[in-house]
Amino acid sequence: MPLCMFVLRPGRFCFGQLVSGGIFCDWVGMEQRAGFFGRIRQALSGGRSGPAPSQDELRTLFASRSQAFARVLEANNKALEIMSDLEEALRGRSIFGMSFVRASATAVGVNVFKLVRALTELEPGRYDALFARLAAIQAGIDEALARRVPAHDVPFVLRLGEIDRHSSDHTGGKMANLGDMRSRIGLPVPDGFVITASGFEAFMAAGDLQAEINARLQALPEDGSGGGDCEGLDSRFRLASEIQQRIIGAPVPEPLAQAILAAYDRLCADSGGPSGVIRVSLRSSALGEDAAGTTFAGQFKSLLGVPRENLLSSYKEIIASKYTLHAMTYRLNRGIRDEDVAMCVGCMTLVDARAGGVMYSRNPLNVRDASVVINSVWGLPTAVVDGTTPTDLFVIEPGGGSVRERVIKHKDSRTVPDQGEGLRREAVDEGQAALPSISDAEACELARLAGVLEEAYGGPQDIEWAVDKAGRVFLLQCRPLQQMTATDAAAPARAVVPGARELFSGGVTASPGVGFGPVFVARREVDALRFPEGAVLVASMALPRWAALLSRASALVTEQGGITGHLANVAREFGVPALFDVAEASTRFAEGQEVTVDALGRRIYEGKVDELLAQAAPPASVMAGSPVFETLREATRLILPLNLTDPESPDFRIANCKTYHDITRYAHEMSVRDMFEFGTRHGLASQASKQLVCDVPMQWWVINLDDGFTREIPERFVRLDDIASPPMLAIWQGIVAVPWAGPPAASAGSMMSVFLQATMNPELGEGGGGSFCERNVFMISRRYACLSSRFGFHFTTIESLLSEGDFDSYAGFKFSGGAADERRRVLRAELIGEVLEQFDFQVKLRGDNLFAKAESRRHDFILERLRILGYLLVHTRQIDMAMATRGAADAHRQKMLDDIRAMLAGSLATPAAGPLCPEAGA
C-alpha cells in the first residue's frame, strides 16, 4: 500500500497507509523515536540504538526524499521567477500599481514557504529554524506594505484667506498655493473656499462608499503594463464608469452639505451681493496633485459657472472624476496609490474673462532659456488647457521688459459662461478672430507676475490666468513647471536624414524625442480601447483624455494644441515625443502606416529611421520616486538582496538569512547537498552520487532518483552506457555536439583575467582544489532529468519530464547571472531568448534572467529541445563579456542557429565518452 506523508504544521507530520475506508496513520512528532520512521530518523540523526534501517527501508525513504526535492525545485523556480519580475519592476521601465506589489510579495512569500516546508520534509528536524526566519522577514514586508493614510482633523471647509502653502495636506497643493498667493504674497486671486480632505473622507465614509470602491479596485487584475491590452482597458473602462455612477448617486452627508452651502453664502456676502447670485468655479485640488514629478494635468474635472443650487451635485462630479479612465490610468502609470489621493475641491468666484490662457515662467523645453512663454485665447482659458482652439503665442524676454516673439492665430470661437449654468462656445467676429487676444502691455504684466511667483516658490511655474473685461489680471492656478533638458524647440529643424523619405516638416515641438511605430488615429474616446502598444498616437486636437494612452505610445502627433496645454504637459512628464500643429495629421497618415517622429527636428519620416532612433535617449522612468515605487523598494529590501553567496563560508547558515532570496539560496544549496550525500552517508550505494566519466573538462555528477541507471552501480563512477534516462542523454548530446572554443574575444581588463581563469582553470578535475571547481549535478529517473549547473559566473537549471498518456511533456530552462555589466548580461539573455523562440520555446525575460519552456505530447519533440538546451548551456558560457553591441549579439546568434540546425539535421558527429581523470579509469 502506498505510504503517505501529511504535513500538519511545521515540525509535525503524519505518516500512514491508504486502506479501504480511510487512512491508517502512524503519528510521528519531532520527539518520537519509535517504529519504522523512528528508526530511520534515529539513524539519520546519528543515534545508534535499535536495529539499523534495512536497504529497502532506506530506498523507500529515498523515494520520499526525491519527491520532496522535486517540490523544493518547483517552489524555488517559482520564487525566483517572481523575484525576477520584481527586479524588472525596480528598473522603473514598466508600469505597476499597489495590486502588483502586494500580489507579487504574497506570491513570492507563498513559494518560499512551500520551499521551506519541502526542505523540512527532505530532512525532518534539521531545518525547522527556517520557519522562524521566514516569519520575521514576512513581518517586515507586511509592515512595508501597510497602508499609510494621514489623519485629517480639520474642518470640512476652509476659506481661502485661512490657508497658505503649508495647508496642502488638508487642501491639496493647488488650493494651498492659491491661498498663499492671495493671503501672503498679495497677488490677484479670486476669492473662495476649499472643501478639505476631511470633507472628502466624510463623503466617502458615508454608506461605506470607500470600502466598496477599494474592494472593486483590488479585484481589478493588473498586467503590469498600465492596462496595455484591450481586455485590460475594457475592464478598467467599465469599472471607471460604475464607480463614477456610484459616487454621483450617493448623498452628501448633511453636516458636509451644510458647511459647503454656508461657505458659499459667506462668499456672496463678502462680495456685497445677495446669496445665490454669484457664479463660481469648482476645481480639483487632490492631495498629491501638482507634487514634484507629477502634474495630474487635465486628469480631474473642473466645472465653471456653477450656481448655488448645483453646488453639491457639482462637488460629487469632481470627486467622481478621480475615477475616470484616464485619471485611474494616470495614477497607475505614475505609481500613485489610490488611497493617497484625497480629493479636495476649491470653489472660487468665476472671472468674466475677456481673454485667458496659460503661461510658463520659463521655456518648458529648455532649462537654459529664462523667457516667459504665454499662450492666450479669447474668453476663458479652458480652450488653451484642453487644446480645442488655436492659441496666440507670446515669448517675453527674461525680466519681462519686452515681447521677443509673437505668433497670432485665427481664433474663430471662444468659451464664455452660459446664461443658465456651465459654459458655451460662441463665434468670434471675423475681424476680431485675427487680432491678438491680449496686448503687449498685458503680456509683459503677466510675465512680471510670473517672475514674482517663480521667486516666491523658488522655481519655474505653470500658471493659469484670465483678464476680465475691465482689464484686471487674475491668477487662477499655479503649480511647479516640469522642464526638459533638450535644446530649444524653436531652433531651426535639423537637416533631413539622408536616404529617409520625409512625410512632413514643420509643427511645434511639445515634447522632444524620437519615436517609431504604426500610426493610430484616435477620433473618439472609445478608440482608446483598441490602441496598440508602441503606436504613434495621431489626433486632431490635443485633448486631455488622450493622456491615458501616453504610457503605451511611442510618439504623439496632433493637428492643433499648444505647448502649455495639459496633454503637452503629460507628454513631457512621460518622456513621449510630441509634435503639435501638424496640418491634416488625422488624414495625412494612413492607419497602420509605420512612421518615425522626430519631435525636436519637427519632421516625420516614412518607416523606421535607425539613425534617429539610435540617438534617442532611453525612456525615462516615470515610476521612480513615486509612492508605489518607494513602497516596492522598501518591501524588496527584504526580498531580493542575496547575502549568502558562499556555501563554504561559516556564515552560510540559517541565522544569517535576512531576505527571501537568502532562504531560497540556502534551501536550494542544502537540498542539493543532502541529496548528493544521502547514499554515501547511509551506505545506500545505488543512490549515492556518481561522477560521470566523460571528455568534457568539468565535474559532472549523477544522482539516480529511481530507475535512471541500467544496472546497480556500487562504484563511484558512472558511464553514459549506464544511463537509462532519455532526458539526460538528450541534454548530454547537446553539451558535446560542438566543442566549446573557449571564451570569445573581448576587450582586455583587469577583471577579464579572473573570468578567463574561471573558465580555463586546469584544476577543474577532482582533487585539484581549485577555487573555481564547480559540481554540475544531474538528478535523474527514466523519464525525468534535472540539471543544476554553474558555468563560470552564470547559473543554469534544465528540467524535463516525459509524461505518459494525455499529459504534456516539457523541457524547462532557467538562466541567470554573469560577470559582465548589466547591459551585456541583458544582451546575452535576449540573445538566448531569441534563439529559443526560433525553436518553439515560450520565453520570459526579466532583465538578465531568462525562463523558457517547451511543451508537447511528443517525446521526440521534447528530446530535441533538450539537445538545444544542452548546446546553449555550453556555448553561452562567458559570451556576456563579448556583448559590447547589438551587432556582436547578432553575430553570435547566427553562429548558434547554424550550429543547432546542423546538430538537429544530424550533420555533427557526437564525440564518444572517455575518462575524465585517472581515477575514472581505475
Side-chain angles (χ1 to χ4, degrees):
M1 295 181 184
L3 178 71
C4 302
M5 173 185 285
F6 302 90
V7 180
L8 304 178
R9 64 177 185 270
R12 189 149 186 93
F13 308 90
C14 167
F15 296 96
Q17 287 183 314
L18 294 174
V19 297
S20 177
I23 300 177
F24 173 76
C25 296
D26 175 22
W27 296 88
V28 182
M30 294 305 298
E31 73 289 346
Q32 191 169 347
R33 292 294 184 267
F36 169 68
F37 276 95
R39 297 201 310 276
I40 298 294
R41 293 164 61 81
Q42 188 175 38
L44 297 183
S45 61
R48 290 293 179 265
S49 61
S54 68
Q55 291 285 302
D56 288 342
E57 289 173 333
L58 284 171
R59 286 192 180 91
T60 299
L61 182 61
F62 185 80
S64 174
R65 286 190 165 204
S66 298
Q67 295 172 9
F69 178 74
R71 290 192 290 274
V72 167
L73 291 182
E74 180 181 12
N76 180 71
N77 288 340
K78 288 182 178 178
L80 292 178
E81 186 171 351
I82 299 167
M83 288 183 199
S84 294
D85 292 340
L86 291 170
E87 288 176 340
E88 181 68 15
L90 282 174
R91 300 174 196 275
R93 299 168 188 164
S94 59
I95 303 300
F96 55 88
M98 279 304 299
S99 295
F100 167 80
V101 178
R102 293 189 182 103
S104 297
T106 300
V108 72
V110 167
N111 282 286
V112 173
F113 174 79
K114 290 180 178 178
L115 174 68
V116 173
R117 185 175 63 183
L119 183 65
T120 60
E121 294 170 0
L122 188 68
E123 282 285 348
R126 180 178 292 183
Y127 303 113
D128 290 335
L130 270 175
F131 284 109
R133 292 302 311 135
L134 179 62
I137 295 169
Q138 179 63 56
I141 293 172
D142 288 344
E143 182 180 352
L145 297 179
R147 287 182 56 179
R148 299 181 179 89
V149 180
H152 303 293
D153 186 18
V154 296
F156 291 158
V157 173
L158 289 173
R159 302 177 69 177
L160 210 55
E162 297 176 309
I163 63 178
D164 58 23
R165 59 181 174 174
H166 303 297
S167 306
S168 60
D169 283 345
H170 311 305
T171 65
K174 185 186 295 184
M175 293 309 298
N177 279 350
L178 286 172
D180 194 67
M181 290 158 58
R182 180 181 172 88
S183 60
R184 183 178 70 88
I185 306 176
L187 294 176
V189 174
D191 198 7
F193 59 90
V194 184
I195 308 169
T196 65
S198 292
F200 170 77
E201 290 172 356
F203 175 77
M204 297 299 284
D208 289 330
L209 184 57
Q210 186 65 65
E212 178 185 337
I213 292 173
N214 289 345
R216 287 172 176 262
L217 292 175
Q218 193 66 30
L220 184 69
E222 278 185 18
D223 58 7
S225 66
D229 55 31
C230 293
E231 184 178 350
L233 274 174
D234 187 49
S235 299
R236 219 167 250 112
F237 186 86
R238 287 196 305 271
L239 178 64
S241 177
E242 292 168 359
I243 293 178
Q244 291 176 79
Q245 291 175 19
R246 180 71 176 85
I247 291 172
I248 291 173
V252 178
E254 189 60 28
L256 176 59
Q258 290 178 0
I260 294 173
L261 295 176
Y264 172 83
D265 292 340
R266 282 197 306 270
L267 182 62
C268 292
D270 290 344
S271 69
S275 177
V277 172
I278 293 180
R279 299 282 187 86
V280 294
S281 62
L282 267 64
R283 296 173 178 267
S284 67
S285 182
L287 300 193
E289 190 176 355
D290 301 337
T294 63
T295 67
F296 280 86
Q299 302 309 302
F300 304 137
K301 182 173 284 189
S302 293
L303 297 173
L304 308 183
V306 179
R308 185 182 191 276
E309 58 267 26
N310 292 338
L311 268 180
L312 299 184
S313 60
S314 297
Y315 171 66
K316 291 190 291 182
E317 280 192 60
I318 293 180
I319 291 179
S321 72
K322 176 183 173 181
Y323 296 100
T324 60
L325 174 63
H326 53 268
M328 290 171 61
T329 303
Y330 179 88
R331 287 198 297 278
L332 176 65
N333 291 343
R334 295 297 280 114
I336 298 166
R337 303 185 300 183
D338 181 77
E339 59 262 34
D340 293 336
V341 184
M343 181 62 78
C344 309
V345 177
C347 181
M348 298 191 299
T349 302
L350 181 66
V351 176
D352 188 9
R354 186 197 81 223
V358 174
M359 64 176 166
Y360 293 155
S361 66
R362 289 176 181 259
N363 188 333
L365 301 172
N366 187 354
V367 294
R368 295 183 293 276
D369 185 359
S371 302
V372 178
V373 178
I374 302 173
N375 279 138
S376 64
V377 294
W378 294 117
L380 291 165
T382 309
V384 174
V385 297
D386 66 14
T388 57
T389 300
T391 62
D392 294 339
L393 170 67
F394 294 84
V395 180
I396 315 301
E397 292 284 2
S402 61
V403 177
R404 187 179 75 195
E405 181 181 358
R406 184 189 304 102
V407 179
I408 308 303
K409 295 291 184 69
H410 189 272
K411 305 169 293 297
D412 57 5
S413 65
R414 61 187 165 199
T415 303
V416 298
D418 203 352
Q419 292 180 352
E421 176 190 359
L423 307 176
R424 62 184 173 88
R425 297 289 292 271
E426 68 176 19
V428 174
D429 293 340
E430 187 64 28
Q432 185 183 10
L435 296 176
S437 49
I438 57 174
S439 66
D440 284 3
E442 289 169 331
C444 290
E445 171 62 13
L446 286 167
R448 184 189 70 81
L449 293 174
V452 173
L453 287 170
E454 183 171 302
E455 182 177 357
Y457 295 123
Q461 299 296 307
D462 171 355
I463 306 152
E464 187 176 334
W465 55 269
V467 178
D468 70 6
K469 293 177 180 178
R472 296 177 297 177
V473 174
F474 290 92
L475 303 178
L476 308 179
Q477 181 174 301
C478 179
R479 60 187 172 196
L481 172 66
Q482 306 297 315
Q483 282 187 289
M484 309 293 292
T485 57
T487 55
D488 185 2
R494 52 189 169 208
V496 178
V497 176
R501 180 168 178 257
E502 181 183 280
L503 301 177
F504 175 83
S505 176
V508 174
T509 302
S511 176
V514 179
F516 162 78
V519 167
F520 181 92
V521 181
R523 295 183 172 87
R524 301 171 299 165
E525 188 167 6
V526 71
D527 289 340
L529 299 179
R530 58 184 187 89
F531 183 77
E533 183 82 25
V536 174
L537 176 60
V538 176
S540 59
M541 293 185 289
L543 299 175
R545 68 187 182 205
W546 303 131
L549 303 179
L550 292 185
S551 66
R552 297 183 289 121
S554 60
L556 169 66
V557 176
T558 69
E559 295 179 2
Q560 62 185 40
I563 65 172
T564 58
H566 285 331
L567 192 62
N569 268 334
V570 178
R572 290 191 291 271
E573 186 178 345
F574 279 80
V576 177
L579 187 62
F580 289 1
D581 274 359
V582 177
E584 301 175 341
S586 57
T587 57
R588 179 188 297 269
F589 308 109
E591 187 92 12
Q593 179 183 11
E594 291 189 334
V595 299
T596 297
V597 178
D598 179 7
L600 187 60
R602 304 201 295 283
R603 297 182 190 273
I604 299 176
Y605 297 91
E606 183 178 52
K608 189 174 185 180
V609 183
D610 291 323
E611 180 178 334
L612 287 174
L613 293 168
Q615 301 169 9
S621 166
V622 295
M623 294 295 295
S626 69
V628 170
F629 188 87
E630 292 305 311
T631 301
L632 173 69
R633 188 162 64 175
E634 186 175 346
T636 52
R637 289 192 182 108
L638 294 171
I639 297 175
L640 298 178
L642 181 61
N643 304 292
L644 302 187
T645 56
D646 182 6
E648 305 305 320
S649 168
D651 294 328
F652 196 87
R653 51 197 176 95
I654 292 175
N656 291 329
C657 289
K658 300 176 182 178
T659 66
Y660 280 163
H661 202 168
D662 287 338
I663 291 179
T664 62
R665 180 72 178 95
Y666 179 86
H668 184 267
E669 178 68 25
M670 292 299 104
S671 65
V672 172
R673 185 176 299 181
D674 289 340
M675 292 297 294
F676 190 87
E677 297 174 351
F678 179 87
T680 302
R681 183 152 42 99
H682 301 293
L684 189 60
S686 62
Q687 262 68 46
S689 54
K690 312 294 182 182
Q691 189 172 359
L692 182 66
V693 177
C694 63
D695 282 336
V696 179
M698 298 186 69
Q699 288 191 9
W700 300 87
W701 298 81
V702 185
I703 298 174
N704 182 20
L705 299 178
D706 186 11
D707 51 0
F709 291 165
T710 60
R711 62 182 179 90
E712 290 287 332
I713 302 178
E715 61 269 20
R716 57 175 297 199
F717 294 99
V718 64
R719 301 177 182 275
L720 288 173
D721 292 343
D722 299 319
I723 302 299
S725 173
M728 176 187 163
L729 292 174
I731 297 170
W732 191 258
Q733 287 169 7
I735 289 173
V736 300
V738 180
W740 184 55
S747 59
S750 58
M751 293 296 291
M752 193 59 195
S753 62
V754 178
F755 305 150
L756 289 172
Q757 182 185 8
T759 57
M760 304 185 72
N761 192 329
E763 297 182 350
L764 278 174
E766 185 189 14
S771 59
F772 295 104
C773 181
E774 297 290 344
R775 286 174 171 173
N776 303 282
V777 182
F778 281 101
M779 299 190 187
I780 65 171
S781 67
R782 185 171 294 276
R783 294 183 176 274
Y784 175 81
C786 176
L787 169 62
S788 295
S789 174
R790 174 172 175 172
F791 267 29
F793 293 86
H794 69 261
F795 300 86
T796 305
T797 300
I798 301 175
E799 185 180 30
S800 178
L801 176 66
L802 300 181
S803 299
E804 295 180 309
D806 294 333
F807 296 99
D808 278 346
S809 301
Y810 68 87
F813 184 63
K814 179 184 176 297
F815 182 96
S816 63
D821 57 72
E822 180 186 19
R823 181 178 61 85
R824 294 172 189 252
R825 297 198 312 270
V826 169
L827 275 175
R828 177 174 63 175
E830 291 175 349
L831 163 65
I832 298 171
E834 290 165 1
V835 171
L836 290 175
E837 285 177 338
Q838 293 282 321
F839 297 98
D840 308 302
F841 279 88
Q842 302 171 39
V843 175
K844 181 178 181 181
L845 283 167
R846 291 294 183 267
D848 64 346
N849 294 286
L850 180 143
F851 304 86
K853 194 172 188 179
E855 297 177 297
S856 175
R857 296 182 185 179
R858 290 172 43 213
H859 289 183
D860 59 336
F861 177 90
I862 296 300
L863 295 175
E864 192 173 76
R865 268 62 198 163
L866 290 173
R867 294 170 66 194
I868 294 171
L869 295 178
Y871 169 88
L872 290 174
L873 176 72
V874 174
H875 293 277
T876 55
R877 184 180 178 186
Q878 299 300 329
I879 65 168
D880 53 335
M881 302 305 297
M883 295 285 101
T885 64
R886 170 60 66 178
D890 291 343
H892 283 287
R893 180 178 62 247
Q894 191 56 53
K895 168 68 165 58
M896 291 177 182
L897 290 173
D898 291 343
D899 282 351
I900 291 171
R901 289 181 180 124
M903 175 181 70
L904 298 181
S907 57
L908 295 176
T910 301
L916 173 64
C917 53
E919 295 91 336

